Amino acid sequence: VYSIIGITREENEKKLLEQYSATKNAPSIQIVYYHRLYRSFWFRDYETVVECCKKYDGYTEISNVLRIIDIEKVFFSGLSSFILSRKKNQMELTTEGEDVLFKMQQWSKLGSKWNAENKALLLEAEYYFAKGDSLKAKTAYEASIQSALRHKFIHEAALANELFGIFCIEEGDLRKGNDLLEKARKLYLQWGAKEKADLIFPL
């Protein structure tokens, strides 16, 4: 409602957090932080993702119910941790990413392979990239793309192509990297995310 009467997204989020905090509505507070981290991830603002994930976790209540936003929060947290650990040499984030990777692998094996397999594989690829194991990273990226396509997650296939493309470019394979980024761009357009597609080039 706030957004359609001329209040900015940031002002809207601030008002919502104030309202939900006043009533101690933890699940709704988490949803606000989820939307913020979700938007930040797709636009490569990984520092904000990690910050919002910590705030999200601060409002976690004991529950036997695992929501989709809980799974996606974990996924984005792990990817952002590995990416930042590699880019900024923040080794403590590697440990956080490893914890997420283990959790997603367990969900894939014991829970829903359909929903979690491609995510676990992409986390694995970023883990190996951060560790400098290029061969294992390449294998995991390729497996993640195939799993995402097989399970009809177009946006996550796009993401896997994007991150694999960045990996190839940083490894010096510019042709393959650009080809993968172009595949990612087309998949994002297919998903309907034109603004994200426009962000792919340049890196």
Side-chain angles (χ1 to χ4, degrees):
V1 174
Y2 287 126
S3 61
I4 64 175
I5 61 175
I7 294 177
T8 66
R9 183 179 63 239
E10 290 77 12
E11 291 172 327
N12 187 10
E13 289 179 348
K14 182 179 179 181
K15 286 181 177 293
L16 288 173
L17 287 171
E18 288 173 353
Q19 289 178 6
Y20 296 145
S21 295
T23 58
K24 298 182 180 179
N25 190 337
S28 294
I29 292 173
Q30 284 186 316
I31 289 173
V32 174
Y33 283 123
Y34 168 76
H35 283 292
R36 187 181 294 176
L37 73 89
Y38 185 88
R39 182 178 62 252
S40 298
F41 179 83
W42 292 111
F43 291 93
R44 299 175 182 161
D45 182 2
Y46 302 117
E47 289 89 349
T48 297
V49 175
V50 171
E51 177 186 343
C52 287
C53 286
K54 290 178 180 177
K55 292 179 178 178
Y56 181 106
D57 289 340
Y59 291 94
T60 298
E61 298 176 334
I62 297 174
S63 172
N64 292 324
V65 177
L66 186 64
R67 301 168 297 176
I68 292 296
I69 66 169
D70 297 324
I71 296 171
E72 291 197 329
K73 188 277 300 183
V74 168
F75 180 48
F76 295 138
S77 171
L79 289 176
S80 297
S81 294
F82 283 137
I83 291 168
L84 288 174
S85 73
R86 174 172 52 80
K87 286 181 170 291
K88 299 196 172 184
N89 199 32
Q90 297 178 358
M91 299 312 296
E92 68 278 6
L93 289 175
T94 303
T95 301
E96 293 181 20
E98 289 172 349
D99 291 340
V100 168
L101 172 58
F102 176 77
K103 185 178 295 185
M104 194 66 71
Q105 288 172 332
Q106 292 301 107
W107 285 342
S108 178
K109 293 175 182 176
L110 306 176
S112 175
K113 182 178 180 179
W114 186 279
N115 287 313
E117 181 186 64
N118 71 290
K119 296 176 180 67
L121 288 165
L122 189 54
L123 284 163
E124 187 178 322
E126 287 296 315
Y127 165 76
Y128 286 126
F129 187 11
K131 289 291 188 178
D133 193 331
S134 299
L135 183 59
K136 288 183 178 179
K138 178 178 180 292
T139 300
Y141 281 123
E142 291 171 343
S144 178
I145 291 168
Q146 292 306 311
S147 176
L149 291 172
R150 188 166 58 251
H151 297 147
K152 314 301 181 186
F153 294 123
I154 293 173
H155 61 306
E156 290 177 3
L159 175 61
N161 273 283
E162 178 186 1
L163 295 179
F164 190 14
I166 292 170
F167 163 82
C168 288
I169 288 172
E170 293 197 16
E171 289 285 298
D173 192 343
L174 300 184
R175 171 181 279 185
K176 183 168 184 176
N178 284 318
D179 285 347
L180 286 162
L181 291 176
E182 177 60 19
K183 288 180 182 178
R185 189 187 70 82
K186 290 178 178 178
L187 285 167
Y188 282 128
L189 288 174
Q190 187 179 341
W191 185 37
K194 184 180 183 302
E195 192 175 358
K196 171 62 181 177
D198 291 342
L199 180 70
I200 294 296
F201 295 105
L203 288 175

